[in-house]
Amino acid sequence: MDPQEALSLDFDVLDVTKLWPEDQFPLTPVGHMTLDRNVDNFFAEVEQLAFSPALVVPGIGFTNDRMLQSRLFSYSDTTRYRLGANFLQIPINAPLKVNPVTTQEGVGTMLKKTGHVNYFPSSVEKTDTVEADPSTIRPEIIFNDEKEGPAERVREHLPKENPFVQPGDRYRSFDPERRERFIQRIAGPKLLGDKKTTKEIKEKWVSYFYQMDEEAGKKLEEALDMKMTGSVGGAAKNSAEKAADVIARVVGTQEE
């Protein structure tokens, strides 16, 4: 059904007590399933099955049908309680082709993952990811009420991310003693002061702090006993120049 057609009908197309007349909206074949044998192990292949309407291939969206919207959440949520967070790794639920994922550990894990990096992207350890095929990313068509009509929701980047203004405002709201404690915690042995923390990571943090607040960036730089030199410039540079230089050098290193 085209969303525009929904407005011309004399019933709510999302009313679960109503049927879409098949003479007007014929069923569309989406696949063929053949059941040719009984399961070998009932528990492994039936009891551990995990179905969820939220698990769809790219290109399929969801309407704002209340029944569907509740099940998009509740099915997977119930399965996590029943089978654990790694239910999609159980053989009967896992894809035939193993895709690189960044999940690690947890109850019922089936992956033999080595290393400590479980996030993407990472400058510490190379991690693989599967990029979405742009041709499969379509707008989600949402049936709306008669007054507003059909609505289209498109996934896109936020036009005004502005990630440093509010953290800077928050930092400046602290009294001097709290600011000092905050900087010392970040620079302490449990975070950036850890011997395993690389110079590159420290430079990233300092660049973020300079963009958040120049005083915070300078204090963190001093607490880490770092001397930004070379392409980054000295401490006398203003915050914008310093942040831009650090980020440019880091990004350039990653691209190489």
Side-chain angles (χ1 to χ4, degrees), residues 98-190:
V98 178
N99 293 319
V101 295
T102 53
T103 56
Q104 184 173 336
E105 317 304 359
V107 176
T109 184
M110 304 287 172
L111 298 178
K112 296 180 180 178
K113 182 175 174 60
T114 59
H116 67 281
V117 174
N118 54 7
Y119 51 86
F120 178 88
S122 170
S123 59
V124 179
E125 181 179 310
K126 185 181 183 302
T127 52
D128 295 323
T129 186
V130 177
E131 297 295 338
D133 182 353
S135 65
T136 64
I137 302 177
R138 306 173 186 172
E140 294 184 9
I141 304 300
I142 309 169
F143 290 112
N144 230 314
D145 57 33
E146 186 172 352
K147 183 179 297 184
E148 296 182 12
E152 190 176 88
R153 181 172 61 198
V154 183
R155 292 187 178 92
E156 58 184 0
H157 292 294
L158 294 175
K160 297 180 180 179
E161 289 190 10
N162 207 1
F164 298 107
V165 172
Q166 289 193 7
D169 292 340
R170 180 66 172 171
Y171 174 80
R172 288 184 288 274
S173 72
F174 295 163
D175 59 56
E177 290 76 14
R178 187 176 181 183
R179 293 185 192 181
E180 186 63 28
R181 291 196 303 269
F182 175 68
I183 295 296
Q184 292 305 318
R185 287 195 186 100
I186 299 297
K190 292 185 177 181

Side-chain angles (χ1 to χ4, degrees), residues 63-125:
T63 70
N64 60 356
D65 175 4
R66 294 179 181 179
M67 184 72 75
L68 173 62
Q69 288 293 328
S70 64
R71 289 178 174 176
L72 292 176
F73 163 79
S74 64
Y75 273 49
S76 293
D77 185 63
T78 301
T79 300
R80 290 186 182 93
Y81 176 80
R82 182 169 63 91
L83 300 175
N86 293 306
F87 68 91
L88 290 176
Q89 295 179 22
I90 299 174
I92 193 63
N93 299 318
L96 297 178
K97 179 182 178 181
V98 178
N99 293 319
V101 295
T102 53
T103 56
Q104 184 173 336
E105 317 304 359
V107 176
T109 184
M110 304 287 172
L111 298 178
K112 296 180 180 178
K113 182 175 174 60
T114 59
H116 67 281
V117 174
N118 54 7
Y119 51 86
F120 178 88
S122 170
S123 59
V124 179
E125 181 179 310

